[in-house]
């Protein structure tokens, strides 16, 4: 949406294809955005205004089945059989959240009070963080790198956004539940963005968030139906066992199924992470191997 709006304002005719009926993608499901924790609805409002331009033909509820190059032009085929002619094509690859049930040791889909970061965002929007039985959690854990940097699931790459999302959400939990204790289990804190490191410091100094460097090995429940987390505090060099009311899994990003299918039908190369491969890591990081 950002790219389409800027191109249109540069005098270029743009056809914008959106698979959903409403624009905004994943942002529609988020509550506040890091690093300044702006309400996501403000960003969507800005983007909608940006694409409200005479040079944009906006098509919603349509999927792209393939992109075919003939000579110097492209034919973009939609799922309903219609086609669009273009001089150039920009693919916003999108992503799917990692399916947390694939990490059985964390108990997602098995235990009631194990949720994902996306599900927590919905709770924030509703203004109510509650357990499955309606009670308010007092002790909440957050596991970083769920589905990222993990050989077992075939994702060796870092999703880059899980750490800062965990920090943002931990602070918001404390704002919603002032007495709650929050524990973040992490491998490494990768806060690689403007104002991200400052957010991390603020979480510790002003919100009292507890950061534990150690990978969670197992999650279970005790006789009182409380979650029991087994981990290791690698900084202290000792094993750790903790009871929690709620556990939040920071799900990483994977190439969307729609993106994978488009790559296959359009002969687009993908990298080791299964996202679209760049033509060159230095000179063409935003270009594919197909000119245009």
């Amino acid at each position: 949406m950002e790219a389409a709006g800027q191109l249109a304002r540069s005098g270029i005719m743009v056809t914008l294809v959106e698979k959903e009926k409403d624009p905004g993608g994943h942002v529609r499901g988020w509550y506040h955005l890091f690093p300044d924790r702006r309400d996501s609805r403000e960003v969507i409002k800005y983007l909608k205004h940006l694409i409200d331009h005479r040079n944009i033909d906006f098509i919603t509820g349509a999927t792209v089945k393939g992109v075919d190059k003939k000579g110097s032009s492209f034919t973009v085929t939609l799922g309903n059989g219609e086609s669009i002619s273009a001089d150039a094509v920009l693919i916003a690859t999108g992503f799917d959240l990692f399916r947390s049930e694939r990490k059985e040791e964390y108990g997602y889909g098995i235990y009631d009070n194990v949720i994902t970061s996306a599900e927590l965002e919905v709770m924030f929007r509703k203004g109510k963080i509650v357990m499955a039985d309606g009670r308010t959690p007092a002790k909440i854990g957050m596991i970083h790198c769920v589905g990222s940097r993990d050989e077992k699931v075939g994702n060796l790459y870092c999703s880059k956004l899980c750490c800062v999302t965990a920090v943002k959400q931990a602070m918001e939990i404390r704002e919603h539940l002032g007495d709650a204790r929050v524990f973040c289990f992490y491998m490494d804190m990768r806060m690689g963005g403007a104002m991200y490191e400052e957010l991390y410091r603020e979480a510790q100094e002003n919100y009292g968030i507890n950061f534990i460097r150690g990978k969670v090995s197992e999650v279970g429940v005790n006789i009182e139906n409380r979650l029991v987390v087994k981990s290791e505090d690698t900084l202290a060099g000792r094993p750790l066992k903790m009871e929690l009311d709620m556990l939040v899994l920071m799900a990483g990003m994977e190439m969307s199924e729609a993106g994978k299918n488009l790559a296959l039908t359009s002969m687009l190369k993908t990298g080791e992470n299964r996202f679209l491969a760049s033509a060159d890591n230095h000179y063409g990081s935003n270009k594919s191997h197909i000119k245009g």
Side-chain angles (χ1 to χ4, degrees):
M1 292 170 72
E2 176 77 40
Q6 299 295 352
L7 288 168
R9 281 160 173 72
S10 299
I12 296 171
M13 303 299 295
V14 179
T15 301
L16 176 59
V17 182
E18 166 59 50
K19 66 178 180 179
E20 305 290 345
K21 291 183 179 179
D22 296 312
H26 288 287
V27 181
R28 287 189 289 122
W30 306 150
Y31 174 54
H32 288 162
L33 308 177
F34 51 77
D36 56 3
R37 297 167 62 204
R38 171 174 280 158
D39 192 316
S40 64
R41 291 173 294 194
E42 290 182 26
V43 177
I44 290 178
K45 183 179 179 181
Y46 155 76
L47 291 170
K48 285 183 175 179
H49 173 72
L50 198 64
I51 62 172
D52 184 19
H53 195 278
R54 64 182 181 277
N55 287 349
I56 294 179
D57 179 16
F58 189 26
I59 301 173
T60 59
T63 56
V64 176
K65 295 198 70 174
V67 179
D68 184 37
K69 185 176 185 181
K70 291 182 180 178
S72 60
S73 63
F74 294 88
T75 299
V76 179
T77 304
L78 305 183
N80 61 6
E82 295 182 8
S83 61
I84 301 165
S85 296
D87 299 316
V89 176
L90 189 152
I91 299 174
T93 57
F95 66 91
D96 288 339
L97 283 173
F98 176 81
R99 298 194 319 278
S100 296
E101 62 269 21
R102 289 167 60 189
K103 297 292 290 181
E104 292 183 11
E105 63 267 36
Y106 296 153
Y108 182 76
I110 302 172
Y111 306 126
D112 287 337
N113 295 309
V114 180
I115 66 173
T116 66
S117 48
E119 290 166 339
L120 181 59
E121 288 287 319
V122 174
M123 289 186 181
F124 287 147
R125 178 64 74 197
K126 291 179 178 178
K128 203 170 185 181
I129 303 172
V130 293
M131 297 161 61
D133 59 6
R135 290 184 296 124
T136 300
K139 198 172 178 182
I140 300 172
M142 311 183 84
I143 300 180
H144 294 216
C145 300
V146 177
S148 297
R149 303 175 66 196
D150 190 336
E151 286 189 52
K152 290 182 180 178
V153 298
N155 291 340
L156 299 178
Y157 59 88
C158 170
S159 276
K160 299 182 181 179
L161 303 176
C162 303
C163 285
V164 67
T165 299
V167 171
K168 178 200 80 87
Q169 289 192 335
M171 294 164 68
E172 288 173 335
I173 288 172
R174 291 278 285 137
E175 288 177 350
H176 281 77
L177 308 174
D179 296 329
R181 298 173 66 195
V182 184
F183 300 84
C184 288
F185 297 90
Y186 70 97
M187 288 194 286
D188 301 292
M189 291 301 295
R190 296 188 170 186
M191 306 294 284
M195 296 169 62
Y196 290 8
E197 191 68 28
E198 290 84 347
L199 205 66
Y200 177 37
R201 287 189 60 180
E202 184 183 1
Q204 297 172 83
E205 295 173 359
N206 299 342
Y207 288 80
I209 309 301
N210 300 280
F211 290 90
I212 300 171
R213 189 175 187 273
K215 192 172 177 64
V216 172
S217 60
E218 184 184 350
V219 177
V221 292
N222 61 17
I223 195 168
E224 298 171 343
N225 204 35
R226 293 193 80 200
L227 296 168
V228 179
V229 171
K230 293 181 181 179
S231 181
E232 180 187 10
D233 187 334
T234 58
L235 294 179
R238 63 184 183 186
L240 190 66
K241 189 176 180 180
M242 184 183 294
E243 290 186 4
L244 299 168
D245 298 313
M246 181 179 282
L247 187 64
V248 185
L249 307 182
M250 311 310 299
M253 297 182 292
E254 295 185 314
M255 178 62 156
S256 66
E257 285 299 320
K260 291 178 190 175
N261 294 335
L262 185 60
L264 284 171
T265 58
S266 306
M267 305 300 288
L268 288 161
K269 292 180 181 178
T270 55
E272 291 181 359
N273 60 7
R274 297 184 297 283
F275 283 87
L276 297 180
S278 298
D280 186 281
N281 290 332
H282 296 279
Y283 305 127
S285 61
N286 65 331
K287 297 177 182 177
S288 74
H289 66 287
I290 301 174
K291 189 176 181 181

